[in-house]
Amino acid sequence: MNVRRARLLLHVIRLSLRAPRDRSTRWERYWAETDEVLWDAQDPAEAAHYAALLARHADPALPVVDLGCGSGLVTRALGDRVVGVDIAPAAVARAGAGDFRVGDITDPALGRALHAELGDCTVFLRGVLHILDPAARRRVAETAAALVGRRGSVLIAETDFPGPLLGYLESLGAGPHGIPRPLARALETGIPRPRPFGDAELADAFPPSRWERVVVDHSATIAAVPMRAAGVREQIPGHLAVLRPVTGAAQQTHSPTP
């Protein structure tokens, strides 16, 4: 490791030591105390792209459920019948008016309960799966499977930075002299660190035997708030997919994957 990265690593360690020991409170603390949320970039073009994909590939008669909606900035662009779900009450409170609810998207029972209320749905996931471990991703996939039923589809947009954490931080302006404040807040509140999310991770959580790949885009990007230049949103390499349940597999999707 060179001197620059060694100094950056010391910054990361120092910030990480501030994280609350109780992991269950970290998301709530992040949303309650952070003014400039890392991924709340308010990029109209990105949101419009998701809306266009749903218009092209999803059943317009179905409601949309945004799993891990955060403050709802993108949720509102997805249509008139949209439900946002997030684990942090502070995020749901920040979302304000609309149908936003507190819930654990890694619990497939949430999907079954919402499906009983709403029927088949379109599911939207942005910037959620890349911060979960493989087992949690599979549980989110079961939640999505319960929601889509037979007619729904899933739009997934995740970051997929091709390198280690320090390289990811450097790509967003971190270095030996410090870390941009939005990144620093993520580290010191202890929210999960990003992991790659590409074809292999998609196949593990949403296996092709159960999910048809309608669209896969390896050139997608996910917008983040400005960090290197004022007023210029960061664009993180991403992975985008639109999926539908394979005909005949929908009956199996209510049983959790081991």
Side-chain angles (χ1 to χ4, degrees), residues 64-177:
V64 178
V65 178
D66 183 354
L67 296 177
C69 65
S71 65
L73 283 179
V74 177
T75 316
R76 301 179 191 284
L78 302 179
D80 298 325
R81 298 178 62 206
V82 184
V83 176
V85 182
D86 200 276
I87 197 169
V92 171
R94 189 177 291 199
D99 194 347
F100 294 98
R101 312 179 186 189
V102 177
D104 181 359
I105 68 171
T106 67
D107 181 358
L110 170 74
R112 294 191 291 271
L114 284 174
H115 187 269
E117 174 188 347
L118 302 170
D120 289 1
C121 299
T122 298
V123 172
F124 178 71
L125 284 155
R126 175 187 182 264
V128 175
L129 299 173
H130 77 284
I131 56 171
L132 299 178
D133 62 39
R137 290 172 183 161
R138 294 182 203 116
R139 294 195 298 273
V140 173
E142 295 300 335
T143 299
L147 280 165
V148 300
R150 297 176 181 275
R151 300 167 55 207
S153 53
V154 181
L155 170 55
I156 297 169
E158 295 292 333
T159 64
D160 187 28
F161 183 81
L165 176 65
L166 291 182
Y168 175 79
L169 296 176
E170 287 173 331
S171 75
L172 296 175
H177 300 296

Side-chain angles (χ1 to χ4, degrees), residues 1-13 161-172 174-179:
M1 180 181 295
N2 61 36
V3 174
R4 286 179 57 85
R5 283 209 166 173
R7 290 178 178 174
L8 173 56
L9 180 59
L10 288 176
H11 288 302
V12 172
I13 293 171
F161 183 81
L165 176 65
L166 291 182
Y168 175 79
L169 296 176
E170 287 173 331
S171 75
L172 296 175
H177 300 296
I179 297 176

Side-chain angles (χ1 to χ4, degrees), residues 48-72:
H49 181 52
Y50 299 145
L53 284 169
L54 293 181
R56 190 176 309 128
H57 300 291
D59 186 335
L62 302 184
V64 178
V65 178
D66 183 354
L67 296 177
C69 65
S71 65

